[in-house]
Amino acid sequence: MSKIYQIVQGVGAVLLLVGAMLQITRWELSPILYTIGAVMFAYVQVMSRCEGKNLIIRRLRRQQILGAVLLVFAGVLMFVTKHNEWVLCLTIAAILELYTAFRIPSELEKEK
């Protein structure tokens, strides 16, 4: 992953986290912060390539991309719902992202 992608992903993750924390206080700009961060984070997730023919890694990449899409969808839910439905979507996305963050490097290590 290039240095620019790492910076975009890091800034996106920070904005995502800050936006989610501030959403609890109902600050009107928190959905904007969260959604911008989620889009930045998801963009890097989708654009990063994982070459190879390993079916397990390809499946994990699809799960990772689904998690990224759900992060963005949680941002949309912040805008269109009046309650905390976005929290469920964020929780599912976080579980998928956490699972794949550990499993993909493990599978790549097994290939070597």
Side-chain angles (χ1 to χ4, degrees), residues 29-80:
L29 295 179
S30 60
I32 296 170
L33 285 177
Y34 175 87
T35 305
I36 290 171
V39 168
M40 291 170 69
F41 189 82
Y43 174 76
V44 174
Q45 292 278 324
V46 170
M47 294 306 291
S48 66
R49 297 242 181 237
C50 192
E51 303 297 327
K53 304 258 187 218
N54 188 337
L55 292 176
I56 295 172
I57 293 175
R58 289 173 55 197
R59 176 186 53 88
L60 288 168
R61 279 286 298 145
R62 284 191 299 268
Q63 289 176 354
Q64 189 178 46
I65 291 170
L66 175 63
V69 169
L70 288 175
L71 285 174
V72 174
F73 186 64
V76 172
L77 287 177
M78 285 181 177
F79 285 106
V80 298

Side-chain angles (χ1 to χ4, degrees), residues 54-57 59-61 63-64 95-110:
N54 188 337
L55 292 176
I56 295 172
I57 293 175
R59 176 186 53 88
L60 288 168
R61 279 286 298 145
Q63 289 176 354
Q64 189 178 46
I95 290 169
L96 285 172
E97 290 289 336
L98 185 64
Y99 176 71
T100 58
F102 284 103
R103 282 292 312 250
I104 290 175
S106 171
E107 288 298 323
L108 289 173
E109 198 60 36
K110 286 180 188 178

